[in-house]
């Protein structure tokens, strides 16, 4: 009988295997972590993780690099321009990649989920996603997960918009100034660029129940219909949409002892790293190994095997 990697790791966790320290990490002179754009949770989580890693690797200069997010981060990892990077699962899920080494990238672990949020002015005539046809819509930065998923979703539904590319914080400013009709953000919740708006500019979130079901049915795997809780943005109430898992990725060539330290830091310092982000606070060992088609890095697998329940 074939035993899956997930089953082996879960069995190891359940058995409460004793912790192993492993070899001392071969600390590189510099460790670069690709994060995300201004106004996105990737940027904040990535910055907090970089600070935590700097404490764990005192001989290493840890750099949090601001990027467009998922798609750019994967590209930077593949070219070796960065060592670590955050990405939503869907740009990786359908890629034609080797089962053992997807473009030189492995997973440190699954972190938390991003939610697609479609924001319009409170007085906008837009009440359904289809009403965005012909309107000015931010797709997030170029090479972002938002751009990837928004393009996939609107192409699937046959909705043509005037797409703009910019960071979520800039999109929020332009929405309030009348330069945009809507902004799309695939990111953790609460999203700073959205949370800051209602105090000065009334907004609404569009419900996407049918659209979420259709996307999940057409592209099974990375998309899950969900509801943004009413407590997230308070005045905006609950909102039906879909979520996508986020992964922390590493270059497969990165020394396993270093990745073991990274993995341990992520999952033992998660409360500090995710401070202020309710969804990101769900980072935990149990879901950490659920990385879809992306294999765990050897260093990450070693840490997951060593951890006690």
């Amino acid at each position: 009988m074939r035993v899956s990697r997930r089953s082996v790791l879960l069995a190891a966790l359940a058995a409460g295997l004793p912790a192993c320290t492993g070899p001392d990490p071969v600390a590189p002179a510099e460790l670069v972590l690709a994060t995300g754009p201004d106004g996105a949770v990737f940027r904040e989580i990535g910055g907090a993780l970089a600070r935590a890693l700097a404490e764990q690797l005192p001989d290493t200069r840890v750099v949090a690099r601001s990027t467009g997010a998922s798609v750019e981060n994967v590209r930077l990892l593949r070219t070796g321009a960065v060592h670590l990077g955050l990405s939503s699962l869907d740009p990786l899920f359908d890629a034609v990649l080797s089962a053992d080494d997807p473009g030189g990238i492995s997973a440190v672990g699954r972190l938390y989920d991003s939610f697609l949020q479609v924001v319009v002015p409170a007085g906008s005539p837009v009440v359904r996603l289809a009403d965005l046809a012909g309107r000015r819509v931010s797709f997030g930065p170029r090479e972002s997960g938002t751009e990837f998923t928004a393009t996939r979703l609107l192409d699937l539904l046959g909705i043509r918009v005037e797409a703009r590319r910019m960071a979520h914080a800039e999109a929020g400013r332009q929405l309030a100034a009348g330069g945009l009709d809507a902004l799309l953000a695939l990111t953790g919740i609460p999203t700073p660029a959205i949370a800051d708006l209602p105090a000065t500019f009334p907004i609404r979130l569009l419900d996407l129940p049918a659209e979420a079901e259709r996307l999940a049915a057409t592209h099974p795997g990375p998309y899950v219909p969900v509801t943004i809780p009413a407590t997230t943005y308070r005045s905006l109430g609950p909102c039906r949409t879909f979520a996508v898992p986020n992964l922390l990725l590493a270059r497969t060539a990165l020394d396993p002892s270093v990745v073991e330290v990274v993995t341990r830091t992520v999952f033992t310092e998660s409360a500090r790293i995710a401070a202020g982000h309710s969804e990101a606070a769900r980072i935990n060992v149990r879901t950490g190994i659920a990385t879809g088609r992306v294999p765990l890095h050897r260093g990450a697998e070693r840490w997951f095997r060593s951890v006690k329940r």
Side-chain angles (χ1 to χ4, degrees), residues 170-246:
E170 176 60 22
R173 289 189 287 268
Q174 291 208 22
L175 187 73
L180 286 174
D181 298 301
L183 74 85
L184 274 66
L186 181 73
T187 182
I189 55 174
T191 302
I194 297 173
D196 294 343
L197 277 174
T200 56
F201 182 72
I203 58 175
R204 287 186 287 112
L205 293 174
L206 296 189
D207 259 340
L208 309 172
E211 296 87 346
E213 293 286 353
R214 184 169 175 187
L215 184 65
T218 305
H219 298 282
Y223 305 110
V224 180
V226 295
T227 297
I228 297 174
T231 54
T232 303
Y233 298 113
R234 300 193 180 279
S235 62
L236 302 184
C239 179
R240 292 171 293 177
T241 183
F242 59 87
V244 183
N246 293 312

Side-chain angles (χ1 to χ4, degrees), residues 45-98:
I45 295 293
L49 174 57
R51 291 189 291 273
L53 288 174
E55 296 175 6
Q56 299 297 320
L57 298 167
D59 296 327
T60 298
R61 178 172 177 261
V62 182
V63 178
R65 176 170 171 175
S66 178
T67 66
S70 296
V71 175
E72 182 178 359
N73 292 352
V74 171
R75 176 174 59 79
L76 292 172
L77 282 162
R78 282 178 173 154
T79 60
V82 300
H83 305 93
L84 303 166
L86 296 159
S87 177
S88 53
L89 180 59
D90 51 338
L92 291 163
F93 200 87
D94 295 324
V96 180
L97 301 171
S98 162

